[in-house]
């Protein structure tokens, strides 16, 4: 495991996809199969019961397992070999009762689905945590004025609450879509050699296996991986939405902007060369992850055309990649919670930055207001001319006063009112919140 | 447009995303905005009505539009300039009524959503067509025995109906998920400069714009593109599932297998060098497309972290890519309908290929049957030994007869019965069909 | 061709890869083959000469060609059919002399190599143009102080000349690597059905074909595409390096930074909503392209494992993708030349931004200077403390004066000297320039 | 580390990129810097010498390092903290002499370059090993006839030696390009905070650091990563070329083809469900890796546009990805050596498969021969007709005899001679071998 691994990933997924936990989960699947076959009377109850009790306690030698994996190309053959040699010493009959009718892919895929279910449970709770934090940010800042920026340029006024509401919206949509995707995937894989089952894998047996494992029964999906890939793409989208938050924060915490700052903390973001630096390292990690996940997700999509009843390579290409996606998304979620939970929102600097624009960020609203009397064409042209002349010495208001002498002082002042901005912002926020069951 | 373009794409999308149709659609959005503002009494009704009537008939000079696009980086500024100069000659007042409160992205994105809706309608009908064809293939072949193949090796028996049912399943799931995704995207973009609306883009106005266009109202989603990307990923998954069908057909129509053949036709798949060749060109195109789409979809996912209120580059990177995805998927759909609609299923050769295995494709079922009396360990070991000796001269049955002398002739014959295979296959098919509301 | 196409691509590649030019080039290859075979005495000289004269003037019906392409999956069968039916009317003998021994892929790939060679010639000259512009930027600004920024934070001083020199360095390296790559690809494809040649494609014939076309002779590389892919990756790297320039300029032309500005021009970067906006649209396009190219390049890399003597799909997946890469890179090159050729370098604002940091951008150099007397540990700690207190009211110098009373006024002032920065910068620039044969 | 990791990767890279070895390498760089500064008289020689001796023996606490990495976003700050606290107890002066003038990226990147150099050395020797094996395959099989296959269809005759020679050619080209790429990357990174050096990082110091580490001196390349990315793309191409070999072997070892077989071995490729299976697991792994590497390489390309003097995220996105590329390529190399070193080439089955085509694989050569007397048009048409009628009962030769009665028995037989094929094949092989300095 690389030195850097822990920066980008989460301890939760490190444990979840540890060799140990994967083996435990595979044995859980083999056990559920034995139990199902015993319940259906296909194998002798007594021996099965003993086996069910023993299976979770089998010792597995990692080195041997890896060695056999590299020879057979599947983790199951080696795993079964180890188990059988232990069982053989106790009761040779039990050896005959394991893995009856199943193929390696049945065990590997069902175990993966179980791990994914655990992951999705964890992710759900993290998503709730993140949404709570974001709702808080929105509620505290509905009218906190800030400059809206397009293509890197100061554009027009908005509020920080709107930005946070958009972040929230993306997380809410991800929550909904992820819930759908995980539900669709929540199925056993239990098809035998070529996926049509057999006398040991009757419909009843499969039904019981599913029940034993808390999953749904389903026809085999050995080379029909769309449900899996659909979940992967949703994780990729979540990673991208977190990346959007990160890139926003990186942009707004630039030295020249400083409207946001990552949560302070001892040593947070210090540099080995520059004593004054406070690097936005949480955002940096989230962004780095969002840079990598699209490619991993694409690997999953590219793996869909799996030939015939089992692919020589495309299925196996998923084995490391899907856990990597889950690991990076988990890492990004944890960092996002930390980042947004302690985010410094510098509303004072937001106001200062508005002032520094010398009125330019009011230009489009001023233009629209003037449109009502002058017509849009003339208004656009006048404000455009005025904007070109704006400087520290001559803010927009002053220039307009000169260019449009017929405006009264009151009218001129009204053009630069921020109240309409805040009202529009609040309306936008309310619309977003209400879509997801929140109130302001 | 490259020489090759038409091989991979569909005339439908060529027209849909033609310069002409895009301009028409953008004007439709501008028109809907004018109408909405007139209905809300924000702009004078009479001039608006004249404008509404004129807008769809504006002449647009392509060369000038491209020129202005490259100067301003948005198609809207140039489009408006052209329209305004035409209107100015008729009624200067009208000029003031266009594009009030809106920003370029509002028009571009809403137009894109409209085009996508048209695309999804078309795709839906194509999906239904394809499903009908696939259901036919399933129903005609539930018991058509064929070799199941894993990792390129003959594995165990299945039927062609199962394979076709799996293909069908993937298309049914895509249909469902695509329907959800398109519904979620079906929203106007109408937020003004930084997305919070303004006096010309009140909640009421936006509501009416949506209604005028047959879309849903929604808060602006300028830099929250997850719904768009989610649709893109679904198209990528569909492309992959079609690619799975194609790769299966390429594999099964190899000279050495020949169980399937692309629909015959004058000159279909002929070679410039080899007089005897009949290349699987429909599958080839579908596969080529499924090779490209994951990367295009990933471009969309990678574009999610769009900075602040409008990205300098990531939004624009979508412009060509999303239509390319739609074009390739449309091409693959048309080719798939042609391919599967005329697919030759050579059940006789399927049976011959089963015979050629000298019984090896029965090995796992034989082993399972023997497990009941010998125990799985012994059965696996015996069949494994026997398999190693199988040859044209000595089929599996003969060797087993020798290795397990206690088997009666009747028992031996039963081991090689195909009826259980067909029963398991039919059950599998029924399970798949019933998931999607079909019967066998 | 989409409305947006022209924004991202270049007219040069539009013409180069036009249907018309591709057909002309394919005919050029067929002609070279006829000539070679005549020269070798394999086909009758006289008929061959007539054919050679006629071939370039054949009329090709696009609609028919596309139709046949979609039936046969190759452009050559249809092309030959059209030509033959024209020749048949003149001299039936000539019909027998075309495409002797060759396979479709031979013609398609060789034509592609020819087009790529034309492209690389064009690209070379554009690279030279770009390098000249960049050298100019470097030479005009070796000592133009600016803030260096890391992770979005003001870090330490550098000069704009250094930045430009780095941009130049990347373009110089691309030039060198591209030259190597193109040279390696400059080979005919002429292997016949399965690549080993035949009596019509003797070694001598192939040698002459190569000579006729100004390419190298080489064994067929039908499914060995690494030289092609290597060129694609180099184009991807160039696109990324141009993207680096673009992202730098987008960052430095932000409203809050304004140290650089895109070349001004009538209507350049105007907004449809905001009268004061000047969007960095050239950088935006270059960045958008650099966002897309990695995925297109990856499609090429992913296409390397082409099965057996010709792939069913992977080869064809290159057909649109490679020209797309070339088109986007060409577009980016043209935009980069325009962008950098007219780039506004606002050295006055660069200085102002340095001042605005209140000395913080000197922190690391101050720390290093103090290290010499205080030791690094103490110096780092002191400057770190000082930095935390810096504000508009209290610049770093003032705080240090207080914290380190033993510093004389002279010593203190020396800590904030910019001359060493400029010296280091000039040295760096000289090192970079000298690597590529330039002087300052 | 996942259960599957060891299947796809190599123990060599596991060790090379272990946390331990990375730390050792980073300390090596810090040491080289201290030595260089002492040699230049910038820091006191005596203390430096003590420090140089101590540095390699510093104890590093992994948990603390990871903890600090996640706080500071760089491994160097934490590493230095640990070292300093150990040094402080021995000699406070030494603490002041570490990491003078350098920034974290200097250490991380230089250490990475060192590890890459070690990797490239290892890879070179593996490439030589692989080439030797391939040359052997070529030399043993120059005339071993086999069916050439295009688009999955039997096309025309070739020999296995040609195939192996093409595999060899791709490995030779990769060797050459990799050598160039690694040489270009072999440079220190030592630029200080913003890359222009400083009083502690004079040109002389940097020169000595490079010398101490066996690397080249060079200006800093903090955000100019093209040399690194170029090496990554070369590794991606190598992975693709190995994937081509793998996909060929998977195709040729299909049950229906069986012309090649993976090296036999106890338990190699056994299945948990099917007693008769021998799965091509080595090819499967190599193919799986070649499926993943294009996406990882694309992540590197997409990371090129690193903003300003250090990117917030794009640089960090490389940290895990580049080692992953190297790990997968190393795994593929080892598997390829094992695979090709023991590859079973079943020349008898190759001949049988030729026979099974009933003469169809001679069709294009027959057509060409007939062209000489009948003209190509007539010959193509005749052979095309004949091919359509070919069956087990009626091989091509018989049908041609009937269709072209004027052919003498001798002439007919000559059409199906294999000697010209073998001659063409040998010529092709010789051309390929001679390009890379081999003889047949």
């Amino acid at each position: 495991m690389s030195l850097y691994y822990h920066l980008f990933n989460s301890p939760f997924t490190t444990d979840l996809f540890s060799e140990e936990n994967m083996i435990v989960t595979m044995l859980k699947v083999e056990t559920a199969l034995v139990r199902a076959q015993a319940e259906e009377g296909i194998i002798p109850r007594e021996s099965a019961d003993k086996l069910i009790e023993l299976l979770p306690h089998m010792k597995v030698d990692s080195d041997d397992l890896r060695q056999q994996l590299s020879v057979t190309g599947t983790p199951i053959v080696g795993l079964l070999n180890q188990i059988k040699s232990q069982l053989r010493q106790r009761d040779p009959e039990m050896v005959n009762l394991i893995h009856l009718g199943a193929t390696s892919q049945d065990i590997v895929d069902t175990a993966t689905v179980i791990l994914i279910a655990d992951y999705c449970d964890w992710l759900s709770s993290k998503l709730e945590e993140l949404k709570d934090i974001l709702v808080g940010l929105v509620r505290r800042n509905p009218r906190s004025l800030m400059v809206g920026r397009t293509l890197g340029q100061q554009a027009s006024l908005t509020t920080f609450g709107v930005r946070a509401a958009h972040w929230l919206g993306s997380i809410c949509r991800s929550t909904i879509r992820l819930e759908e995707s995980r539900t669709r995937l929540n199925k056993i894989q239990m098809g035998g050699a070529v996926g049509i089952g057999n006398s040991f894998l009757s419909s009843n047996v499969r039904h019981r296996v599913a029940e034993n494992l808390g999953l749904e029964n389903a026809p085999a999906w050995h080379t029909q991986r769309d449900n899996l890939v659909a979940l992967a793409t949703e994780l990729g989208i979540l990673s991208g939405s977190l990346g959007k938050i990160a890139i926003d924060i990186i942009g707004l915490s630039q030295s020249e902007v400083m409207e946001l700052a990552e949560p302070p903390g001892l040593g947070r973001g210090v540099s080995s060369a520059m004593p004054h630096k406070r690097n936005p390292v949480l955002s940096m990690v989230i962004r780095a992850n969002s840079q990598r996940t699209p490619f991993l997700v694409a690997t999953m999509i590219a793996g869909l055309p799996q030939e015939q009843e089992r692919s020589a390579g495309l299925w196996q290409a998923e084995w490391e990649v899907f856990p990597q996606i889950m690991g990076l998304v988990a890492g990004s979620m944890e960092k996002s919670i930390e980042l947004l939970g302690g985010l410094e929102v510098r509303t004072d600097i937001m106001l200062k930055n508005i002032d520094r624009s010398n009125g330019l960020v009011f230009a489009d609203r001023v233009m629209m207001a003037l449109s009502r009397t002058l017509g849009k064409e003339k208004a656009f042209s006048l404000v455009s001319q005025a904007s070109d002349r704006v400087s520290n010495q001559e803010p927009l208001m002053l220039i307009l006063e000169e260019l449009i002498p017929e405006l009264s002082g009151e009218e001129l002042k009204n053009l630069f009112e921020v109240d309409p901005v805040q009202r529009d912002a609040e309306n936008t926020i309310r619309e977003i919140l209400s879509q997801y069951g929140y109130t302001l």
Side-chain angles (χ1 to χ4, degrees), chain A residues 167-184:
Chain A
W167 295 344
L168 173 66
S170 69
I171 303 305
C172 291
R173 288 188 296 279
S174 270
T175 305
I176 294 167
R177 287 191 311 253
L178 277 164
E179 189 60 31
E180 286 175 8
S181 295
R182 69 165 293 189
T183 304
R184 281 177 182 139

Side-chain angles (χ1 to χ4, degrees), chain A residues 118-180:
Chain A
D118 289 348
Y119 176 80
C120 287
D121 285 344
W122 178 88
L123 186 61
S124 286
S125 77
K126 291 290 162 187
L127 286 165
E128 290 314 309
E129 207 177 321
L130 183 58
K131 287 191 282 185
D132 286 349
I133 291 169
L134 285 166
V135 171
L137 276 177
V138 175
R139 286 188 180 142
R140 286 194 298 279
N141 294 287
R143 298 173 67 88
S144 306
L145 288 167
M146 73 182 282
V147 176
R149 291 163 175 96
T150 61
L151 289 93
Q153 304 298 299
Q154 294 188 341
S156 181
L157 290 177
T158 184
T159 73
F160 177 66
V162 172
R163 180 71 64 88
H166 277 304
W167 295 344
L168 173 66
S170 69
I171 303 305
C172 291
R173 288 188 296 279
S174 270
T175 305
I176 294 167
R177 287 191 311 253
L178 277 164
E179 189 60 31
E180 286 175 8

